[in-house]
Amino acid sequence: MFLCTIFLFNLYTSHQTPTSFDDSHHHGRLLSYNGDSFAIEPWIKSENPRLKNAYIALQAWKACMHSDPNNMTGNWIGPDVCNYSGVFCWEAPDGTGETTVAGIDINHGDIAGYLPHELGLLYDLALFHINSNRFCGTIPQSFVNLKLLFELDVSNNRFVGKFPDLVLHLPSLRYLDIRFNEFEGELPSKLFDRDFDAIFINNNRFSLNIPENIGNSPISVIVMANNKFEGCVPASLGNMGETLNELILMNNGFMSCFPTEIARLKNLTVLDMSHNQIRGPLPDGIGDMHSLELLNLAHNKMSGEIATKTCELPNLVNFEYHHNFFSEEATTCLALSKIDDEKNCLKDRPNQRSAVECQRFLSRKVDCSSFNCSTSTKPVPIPPPPAKKPPPPPSPPPPPPQRHSPPPPTAPLASPPPPIHRQPLPSPPPPIHRQPLPPIPPSPPPPCQCQPPPQASSNPPPIF
């Protein structure tokens, strides 16, 4: 609780620049949202409209909780929302001096239920943490109202559906954690054109290829482990050398060679690409990644040599490359504090593959070009809308048939419009920076009378 208060103080003091707020934004939506009646219509006195909105939102949410075995919301009674467990209030950042709900943290509550659309009334929310519960359904579209939301953590719940695109419309969001849920489908490419600092999407059901523009992102940590991604490991990852510290792609279905461009990630400390179908050699450039502390390549189909300079990286303490087909390793690798080289094709090392298995695999040359992976490391531009071709210039007038005919008109011909390519089109910014989007009509929530799902362990999710 103390750490959460410190975080909100730092965040809100960074937003102290007075902002012009339309009072109707808070007053006009007290008892309705897109025409739907709220579950709670309190005829009570509140300190300000913001806190009245918060009372409506939190009481509607409590009504949609089927089970609260730890009684975490037991004191969510009455209008004093700032005294609710897990609710944090602070002075609003718009300079009005009003108190508002700035954060919610009910992690590890083991609460079963769903999120109602009334939560979109918490306009000033900067932090929303509900990890390790049993919330199900989808994230309501009304969350697009949360323009100040900085951290969104809904990990270790039972949310379903496609990637929640609404997070792309939250201009202040920097930390996104949706791991350990049941989200599925492909990732939107726009996710990597946003200024996120950390993205955790591991342990879901995401599939297909990772968008090639992932290299546009300035994130420092990205964890995509335990999904169903396939295809190539994007070469554009090499564009993230200034910011990326941790890259975890383990246990997916990637099938390509190891991109040499990854060696450009000079600030990377953790690289885990284990349990995939990575083939070919380990690039020599890995030996120049001096910040690397953990390198895990286990359970792939890589071959070739483990170079001396890779095992001599100054900060490398954990190097795992077991269950591959490497045939040579430097003796310096054996001096690392933690190493696992079993089930390879290494001479004079214990627990290796059989000679027949190694010969059968190594006799087939690996053609990295056969995977048709992109090798470009230039930032992928946001495609502009298709430009219309300029109209052709008018045809010249026909010659006069007779000498005494009147001359053709002397009015100058209109010049065709300048080609589109004379001035480069700037990449359009995310729509959220132009003007606030109107609230999107929410999908109707499931009935509160539905049977709650069975209880699950409230242990927090691992890092990857």
Side-chain angles (χ1 to χ4, degrees):
M1 180 174 179
F2 174 76
L3 292 177
C4 183
T5 302
I6 294 296
F7 169 81
L8 291 173
F9 172 77
N10 292 333
L11 179 63
Y12 264 49
T13 52
S14 69
H15 284 83
Q16 284 299 321
T17 304
T19 306
S20 176
F21 274 67
D22 182 1
D23 286 343
S24 64
H25 181 67
H26 297 285
H27 290 268
R29 299 180 185 176
L30 287 174
L31 301 179
S32 67
Y33 182 83
N34 287 336
D36 296 334
S37 296
F38 282 127
I40 305 295
E41 295 187 358
W43 302 106
I44 58 172
K45 291 184 178 180
S46 293
E47 181 181 329
N48 60 58
R50 286 177 157 106
L51 294 180
K52 192 170 185 181
N53 278 342
Y55 177 78
I56 295 170
L58 296 174
Q59 289 300 312
W61 191 11
K62 185 177 180 181
C64 295
M65 295 179 182
H66 304 302
S67 172
D68 183 4
N70 299 319
N71 200 31
M72 185 169 283
T73 61
N75 69 343
W76 285 24
I77 300 171
D80 192 1
V81 295
C82 294
N83 282 327
Y84 288 7
S85 296
V87 177
F88 301 89
C89 293
W90 206 262
E91 183 178 327
D94 59 356
T96 61
E98 293 183 341
T99 300
T100 188
V101 171
I104 292 176
D105 188 337
I106 55 172
N107 290 343
H108 311 293
D110 200 26
I111 300 171
Y114 66 90
L115 307 183
H117 64 252
E118 285 89 345
L119 290 175
L121 283 171
L122 300 173
Y123 300 105
D124 302 309
L125 202 65
L127 179 150
F128 188 73
H129 286 184
I130 59 169
N131 80 55
S132 303
N133 285 284
R134 288 176 289 143
F135 291 109
C136 61
T138 59
I139 300 175
Q141 289 292 325
S142 61
F143 268 49
V144 297
N145 284 342
L146 310 184
K147 303 301 183 185
L148 300 181
L149 193 62
F150 188 85
E151 290 192 7
L152 177 62
D153 182 357
V154 298
S155 61
N156 200 19
N157 280 282
R158 300 180 181 183
F159 291 109
V160 298
K162 294 183 178 181
F163 181 88
D165 287 344
L166 62 91
V167 303
L168 304 178
H169 301 290
L170 302 178
S172 301
L173 192 64
R174 295 295 179 269
Y175 177 95
L176 177 64
D177 192 345
I178 60 174
R179 54 186 161 169
F180 289 93
N181 281 287
E182 298 291 331
F183 293 111
E184 59 187 286
E186 60 183 325
L187 294 180
S189 60
K190 291 181 180 179
L191 175 65
F192 303 111
D193 291 322
R194 285 288 314 276
D195 292 335
F196 286 108
D197 181 63
I199 300 176
F200 297 89
I201 61 173
N202 51 289
N203 294 80
N204 280 283
R205 297 174 179 269
F206 293 117
S207 58
L208 302 180
N209 293 3
I210 293 179
E212 186 61 37
N213 70 325
I214 187 174
N216 293 0
S217 178
I219 52 181
S220 61
V221 177
I222 184 163
V223 184
M224 295 183 169
N226 302 314
N227 280 285
K228 298 180 180 180
F229 293 116
E230 58 190 42
C232 301
V233 177
S236 67
L237 286 166
N239 297 337
M240 306 167 74
E242 297 297 321
T243 58
L244 193 62
N245 301 128
E246 296 185 19
L247 175 63
I248 301 172
L249 304 177
M250 63 176 286
N251 197 26
N252 281 283
F254 295 114
M255 183 178 291
S256 68
C257 287
F258 194 109
T260 58
E261 292 82 0
I262 285 183
R264 300 183 181 186
L265 302 176
K266 304 302 183 185
N267 294 321
L268 203 67
T269 60
V270 175
L271 175 59
D272 192 337
M273 298 174 63
S274 61
H275 292 270
N276 283 285
Q277 298 290 318
I278 307 299
R279 299 169 185 258
L282 182 65
D284 290 339
I286 301 298
D288 298 323
M289 300 174 68
H290 293 166
S291 298
L292 207 57
E293 300 172 10
L294 182 151
L295 176 58
N296 193 344
L297 307 174
H299 289 275
N300 281 288
K301 295 185 177 181
M302 300 184 69
S303 55
E305 177 187 3
I306 303 295
T308 299
K309 67 176 185 176
T310 299
C311 292
E312 291 181 347
L313 287 170
N315 295 301
L316 187 65
V317 295
N318 188 338
F319 187 13
E320 298 186 32
Y321 48 95
H322 56 91
H323 288 85
N324 278 282
F325 290 88
F326 289 111
S327 55
E328 296 182 52
E329 67 179 345
T331 55
T332 52
C333 297
L334 305 181
L336 292 171
S337 58
K338 187 174 181 181
I339 185 175
D340 191 342
D341 63 359
E342 294 184 352
K343 296 299 179 183
N344 278 284
C345 300
L346 303 169
K347 294 180 179 179
D348 303 323
R349 292 294 296 160
N351 299 321
Q352 298 297 301
R353 298 181 186 272
S354 69
V356 173
E357 186 180 8
C358 289
Q359 183 181 9
R360 184 183 300 121
F361 182 88
L362 296 176
S363 65
R364 299 190 296 266
K365 272 195 169 184
V366 178
D367 181 7
C368 291
S369 64
S370 66
F371 298 109
N372 297 317
C373 298
S374 171
T375 57
S376 173
T377 58
K378 295 180 180 180
V380 179
I382 302 174
K388 295 182 179 179
K389 293 182 178 180
S395 301
Q402 298 180 357
R403 289 176 180 247
H404 62 270
S405 299
T410 57
L413 296 174
S415 300
I420 290 296
H421 62 269
R422 285 191 180 179
Q423 294 182 351
L425 287 174
S427 298
I432 50 177
H433 294 297
R434 299 229 174 190
Q435 56 185 2
L437 294 176
I440 301 175
S443 301
C448 285
Q449 292 80 14
C450 65
Q451 292 294 325
Q455 292 191 9
S457 171
S458 59
N459 293 330
I463 291 299
F464 45 85

